[in-house]
Structure formats: structure tokens, C-alpha cells
Amino acid sequence: QVTPAESGGRSVQSGGSLRLSCAANGYTPRTYCMAWFRQPAGKEREGVSSISWGGATTYYADSVKGRFTISRDKGKNTVYLQMDSLKPEDTAMYYCAAGLTVGLDAREYKYWGQGTQVTVSS
């Protein structure tokens, strides 16, 4: 059982920045890919960004390209999401996930955190 734990979410003004972190509780294989998903209130979960084990391969949703940057510390089994130029449309519960295949399909990820709330006001 792997239980990722997200942190860093808060309320910010439009145009502001946040840095989210996700650390696994307990053992997480270093070969796992990691990703960020988000779910606005009352809406479906969507993929935001993902990163391969080696960090060379990354994916971003069209809505966040050029504004968000994903990175990871493999030794600490930790993934980060730097969020710049935030918009009200980015408001959502953000979830961290770990799995065996890199991508933005939620079905590819087995382990999920409880989420951290990001709220962007206009």
C-alpha cells in the first residue's frame, strides 16, 4: 500500500503562483511514474501533468501548457508541480498519483493521495 500525500494548496489571486508537493508515505518504487490530476467541484477528474521515472518524458494538459511545470526527486519519491499565471479556471482539488505507465489517463495510476485544494480568485 502506497499513500501519496499532497501539500501546498491555498487561495491565491489570479496571476499568482503556487508550488504543490507530493511525498509518498511508506515505500514507493523509484520506477513509478507520477502525475497530477485535478477535479473542480461538481465536475469530473482530469489529468494535469505527468512525469516518467527518469524525468525525461512529461505530459501536460493543453489548458496548463506554458504555465505549469512538473518535476520530481526520485531519491525522495517526491513530485512537484510549479503553477504560474494561475487563472480562476484552475480552481480545483488537486490529486497526486503514482503508477507504472506515464500518461494522463487516470486508469493508469494505482495509488492516489487525498488531495489539496487550490482556489484562484479573480
Side-chain angles (χ1 to χ4, degrees):
Q1 179 74 21
V2 178
T3 55
E6 308 93 339
S7 63
R10 63 180 178 89
S11 297
V12 298
Q13 290 285 107
S14 295
S17 298
L18 285 175
R19 183 180 176 87
L20 305 183
S21 299
C22 175
N25 293 325
Y27 175 73
T28 302
R30 294 182 179 181
T31 55
Y32 271 32
C33 302
M34 300 188 76
W36 289 96
F37 294 81
R38 66 186 182 186
Q39 186 168 16
K43 299 183 179 180
E44 296 182 353
R45 179 173 53 190
E46 63 181 0
V48 177
S49 184
S50 60
I51 187 167
S52 63
W53 168 77
T57 301
T58 58
Y59 292 96
Y60 294 94
D62 290 340
S63 59
V64 306
K65 287 181 179 178
R67 299 189 298 118
F68 291 8
T69 303
I70 191 170
S71 62
R72 70 182 298 170
D73 183 333
K74 292 181 290 186
K76 297 181 178 180
N77 292 324
T78 301
V79 64
Y80 306 94
L81 185 67
Q82 179 65 43
M83 309 164 68
D84 298 321
S85 301
L86 284 163
K87 305 175 181 179
E89 303 89 270
D90 296 317
T91 296
M93 184 72 73
Y94 283 72
Y95 297 92
C96 176
L100 297 175
T101 304
V102 64
L104 294 178
D105 185 348
R107 297 181 179 181
E108 298 175 348
Y109 295 88
K110 184 177 181 179
Y111 305 104
W112 294 80
Q114 293 184 326
T116 185
Q117 179 67 38
V118 172
T119 301
V120 184
S121 59
S122 60

